[in-house]
Structures are given as C-alpha cells and as structure tokens.
Amino acid sequence: MDPERARRFSFAARPGATPLRIARSEGIWLYTDDGQQILDASGGAIVSNIGHGRSEVANAYARELERVSYVIPPFATESRLKLVERLIGSWLPSGLSRVAFTSGGSESVDAALRISRAHFVAKGEPKRWKVIGRELSYHGTTLATLAVGGHQKRRAGFEPWLAEMPKAPACYCWRCPLAKAYPGCGVACADEVEAAIRRAGPETVAAVIAEPIGGSTAGALVPPDEYWPKLAEICKRHGVLLIADEVMTGFGRTGKRFAVDHWGVTPDILVGGKGLTGGYAPMGGIFASEAVVAPIAEQGQEVMFFTYSAHPASCAAADKVLEIMEREHLVERAARMGEVLGKRLSRLLDHPNVGDVRGRGLLWAVELVADKATKMPFPVATGLTAKVVAAGLSHGIFVYPGGVDPARDVITFGPAFTITEADIDQVGERFERALESALARVA
Ligand SMILES: Cc1ncc(COP(=O)(O)O)c(C=O)c1O
C-alpha cells in the first residue's frame, strides 16, 4: 500500500505506521488485502453481534435507501416506526417507552445527559445540573461525555474544557479502591455513590450515570449482584435520574437483552449503540420512561437532534439485525458461548502474568500484570497492551486494547454471538501465542 495514502488516512498515524487494510469480512473473520485471515475476537470495538457479511441486512439497508434517502429526524418513516415498535415490544425493559436515535454511542450519551438536564429545567428544578459519574468509566468522546467519564487517558489535555462533574469510585473488586472485600464490604462502592450525591448537594444533582458492567476502560468489571438494585434505590431516594450506559453491554452482549436485566433494574434512561446495528450502520439510541420525557414535552421544549439521527436506512438495518437475533436466539447463545469463552480464558490464570480474568456473557477481559502477588502492572514504557494486540494480528487474531491505571494492561474479548466452541478454542490458542510473543519482546 502506498505509505503516503495511508498516512493521510488518520490525523494521528505515527510516522511510518500503516493501517491494517481489510478487504472483506465474513462471520467472525476479517480478510486482509494480502489474503491473511484474522479472527475478530472482539467484534471490532465490541460491536459485531450477528457476525459480518449478512446480505439480508445489506439488502434491507439498500431497499430503505431506495425508498427514503433522507428526511429530518422528527418525521416518521415506516422503518423508524417499525424499529421503535420492535424495541418496545421485544427488547427494552418494561417502562422504557420513549425512544430517540442518534448516529452512535457518544451522541446518545450526550443526548441522554441533555435530556436529564432538560427534565429538571422543565420541572422547575433548575439547580439540578450535576451528573455523578464513576472512575474508570467511559461514556464517549464529546466534551459532555468526557466530563462525566472517568477515563483519564482520554480526558487528558481537555480538562480545561470539561465541566466539573463529581465522581464515585469504580466497582472493581479485584483491586477494590476502598480496600475492602466482597461480601464483607456490604457493597460500599454503591454507598460511595450516595456519599458523592450528598457531598454535591442532592438538590444540585440531576443524574447518576454508570455502565452496568464496566466496558473496556478497566475491562469487563462485573459488579456484585447487590450493586445495581442499591444504586437504583439511592437515586430514587434522592430524586436523581439513573442513566444506564449500555452502549457496550446492550443488545445481548452480556447474555441478557440488557445488562440491567441481570438484576431486574429499570433505569430512568438507558443508552444503547454498538450492538443495535451490530456494525452494519452507525447508530445509537436513547430509551427513557414517560416520566422523564413528560415535563419536557409539556413545556413544548424539544431535544435538538443531530442531522443524521434516526437515518431511515440505519433504522432498517437495526430492525433486521434485531430480527435475526430473535430468529436465531442469539442472546441465549451469547450466554451459552460466554460460559465457554470464560472457561477457556480462565485457563490463562495459571500464567504468571495473567492477574485476573473476568466477564459476563460474551464480554470478557484479561488483566496483565508484571507481578501477580503484588498486582503490580508492567512499566508504562513497556506498552504491553499495544504489543499484545500487534502480536495478535501477526498470529491471526484481533483483540481489543483497553486499560487505564491501575488496570494498566487489559485485553478485551467480545466476539460475535455466532461464535462456535471450535472458534473459541482458536481464540484461546491464538491469544496464548500472541501473549507469549509479546512478553518475549518485553523480557
Ligand atoms: C459504555 C460506552 N459508552 C459510550 C461509548 C461511546 O460510543 P461511540 O464510540 O459509538 O461514540 C462507548 C464506546 O466504546 C462505550 O463503551
């Protein structure tokens, strides 16, 4: 590939760096220009859920483009209405009956934050503007979503532009930030959310935002079962809206339709992205209760849309992807195959540099450390995660890089729900080889 063409492709390509060139993708496989076959063990950025290359989705997308190429988001089209009906009828936790779409996760979280603020302004409580976030979290890369997020690497340099939003500790049992241990801790990390609300002044807090299972920042942080019910109770008691960011965990990824379904919690606002279209079209969604939207509507206010929100063809693609997931029982399959993947990855716990293996459904992470006894990470200069990902590509596997201190080196796995047991063996073998060759370069 012409290096000059490749250099212009990205704002930040390192001198001499050439992006991987993908010619085609099918099922769980990516095919490079020069014929290499790569197992997509993370479904891209934890996106691909029905697998790549389904012509059924491409056809639905193309058909809708022929019918309606573009109309502004507030207009109704058949594809929009059909998708909303499917979501409310078969997917969303009951009680979430208001739906809006965007072009992705960051836009959706941004809109959810604005909706939470607009709700209180419309209700005559304009003092409520703060949104409590958590450390080691990611909610997107717009300025508002960076402000509520706790991904220090992605916030770095932008701090002067970010509103001061209070933070609670992450729910990270393997390195508990409160130096406690479950179950004796009494899930004190949830009490810390309440403490943050109290410190901020409950009358100034609009919402709490959290990923039900932490995504790729610290890697598949699964909370204790008591955490989300407790969070919901705390928010309710303080009149604060609870926003579940399910951009990564939604639409079956963790073995339930939504991760909050593991604990029977219905948030006030739920945000989705990635899996909604499984990568076939850029799209995200905001799903809220009537009670959240009613005051805004009563005041005749509108929540401004993005030009490409609810694109008719994206709606048609999403509707087809969800139909395929229902027809092929892929959410149940994610739960089943997730157990197999979890068992296979847990075999790595014998390795001296594998500190923790954690996850739920088909969202798993491996945390790498220099010293298992002390949980000390490798030096920053080692750049271990990047080395593992690069070694993976040469061993025919793509894994997703994550990690922010103290979870410095984290590799995330999130393959398509169509993955088989034999494929999972391949994931384990290829990843083991990649890990060994990356560690050999570090020693
Ligand atoms: C939990 C969560 N929220 C928001 C986002 C941002 O989504 P997008 O990259 O589609 O803007 C991500 C992306 O990884 C995410 O994992």
Side-chain angles (χ1 to χ4, degrees):
M1 191 194 327
D2 174 0
E4 190 51 25
R5 272 179 79 202
R7 198 179 61 79
R8 275 191 245 113
F9 166 72
S10 158
F11 280 137
R14 273 191 302 278
T18 314
L20 188 69
R21 191 156 147 168
I22 302 298
R24 161 176 100 74
S25 59
E26 197 177 330
I28 57 158
W29 297 98
L30 309 176
Y31 298 86
T32 63
D33 251 14
D34 53 10
Q36 198 201 348
Q37 202 176 335
I38 297 174
L39 199 168
D40 188 5
S42 63
I46 324 292
V47 173
S48 181
N49 47 15
I50 61 167
H52 299 279
R54 301 256 197 162
S55 49
E56 229 185 310
V57 185
N59 292 340
Y61 190 92
R63 265 199 310 277
E64 185 60 20
L65 272 187
E66 281 171 4
R67 222 174 352 239
V68 186
S69 60
Y70 176 83
V71 289
I72 60 166
F75 286 4
T77 67
E78 189 53 33
S79 61
R80 287 173 177 167
L81 298 184
K82 217 174 140 207
L83 176 58
V84 169
E85 277 152 23
R86 185 184 295 282
L87 284 166
I88 293 173
S90 312
W91 285 84
L92 295 171
S94 69
L96 300 185
S97 52
R98 299 298 293 262
V99 173
F101 299 113
T102 68
S103 314
S106 301
E107 282 186 5
S108 296
V109 177
D110 201 291
L113 297 173
R114 282 182 288 117
I115 289 166
S116 70
R117 170 69 181 150
H119 168 87
F120 285 111
V121 171
K123 261 172 76 171
E125 294 183 64
K127 275 198 200 148
R128 286 192 189 259
W129 64 270
K130 296 173 194 163
V131 177
I132 313 272
R134 300 183 309 167
E135 303 297 346
L136 294 176
S137 65
Y138 182 59
H139 297 294
T141 198
T142 67
L143 295 175
T145 56
L146 279 179
V148 297
H151 193 299
Q152 296 309 335
K153 276 201 271 188
R154 292 181 186 158
R155 288 167 55 97
F158 299 110
E159 291 89 344
W161 288 349
L162 305 181
E164 283 284 334
M165 293 295 194
K167 297 286 180 311
C171 195
Y172 182 14
C173 294
W174 193 63
R175 292 181 193 269
C176 176
L178 306 171
K180 293 180 187 283
Y182 181 79
C185 63
V187 197
C189 48
D191 298 326
E192 286 296 314
V193 176
E194 178 158 31
I197 294 174
R198 286 193 196 283
R199 272 194 305 275
E203 72 291 350
T204 70
V205 178
V208 167
I209 183 164
E211 298 159 85
I213 293 178
S216 69
T217 310
L221 297 182
V222 183
D225 284 341
E226 298 87 341
Y227 185 84
W228 269 81
K230 213 168 162 182
L231 213 55
E233 185 276 318
I234 290 167
C235 287
K236 196 162 182 210
R237 190 150 35 79
H238 290 286
V240 165
L241 298 178
L242 178 58
I243 305 175
D245 180 353
E246 296 237 23
V247 169
M248 189 171 279
T249 53
F251 297 101
R253 172 58 58 191
T254 70
K256 296 266 187 198
R257 280 173 293 216
F258 292 94
V260 289
D261 294 338
H262 288 293
W263 309 291
V265 168
T266 300
D268 300 290
I269 305 176
L270 187 149
V271 186
K274 299 181 186 268
L276 170 60
T277 58
Y280 285 84
M283 196 176 198
I286 307 107
F287 315 112
S289 65
E290 284 295 331
V292 168
V293 178
I296 306 172
E298 276 159 23
Q299 295 288 317
Q301 292 172 9
E302 282 184 9
V303 180
M304 183 54 193
F305 54 78
F306 300 97
T307 296
Y308 284 116
S309 293
H311 191 280
S314 299
C315 289
D319 187 59
K320 186 54 79 177
V321 167
L322 298 182
E323 181 199 310
I324 290 171
M325 283 213 270
E326 291 165 27
R327 198 173 68 214
E328 298 181 9
H329 307 288
L330 290 183
V331 178
E332 295 81 355
R333 187 180 173 91
R336 238 178 23 253
M337 288 299 130
E339 303 244 322
V340 180
L341 180 63
K343 275 202 192 99
R344 180 63 185 83
L345 292 176
S346 295
R347 275 163 52 186
L348 291 165
L349 282 167
D350 292 336
H351 192 286
N353 299 112
V354 173
D356 195 24
V357 174
R358 52 185 175 248
R360 178 76 64 92
L362 276 173
L363 178 65
W364 282 85
V366 171
E367 183 171 341
L368 303 171
V369 287
D371 186 294
K372 240 165 130 151
T374 61
K375 303 186 181 176
M376 191 176 64
F378 281 86
V380 176
T382 304
L384 181 62
T385 297
K387 285 194 171 71
V388 173
V389 174
L393 291 175
S394 45
H395 285 92
I397 184 167
F398 178 64
V399 289
Y400 199 57
V404 173
D405 280 353
R408 187 171 297 162
D409 289 297
V410 169
I411 303 291
T412 309
F413 296 79
F417 308 167
T418 49
I419 196 162
T420 64
E421 294 200 25
D423 297 330
I424 288 172
D425 270 341
Q426 283 291 311
V427 170
E429 281 169 29
R430 289 174 192 223
F431 179 66
E432 274 165 9
R433 271 183 265 143
L435 182 59
E436 284 318 321
S437 62
L439 288 169
R441 291 186 53 208
V442 164

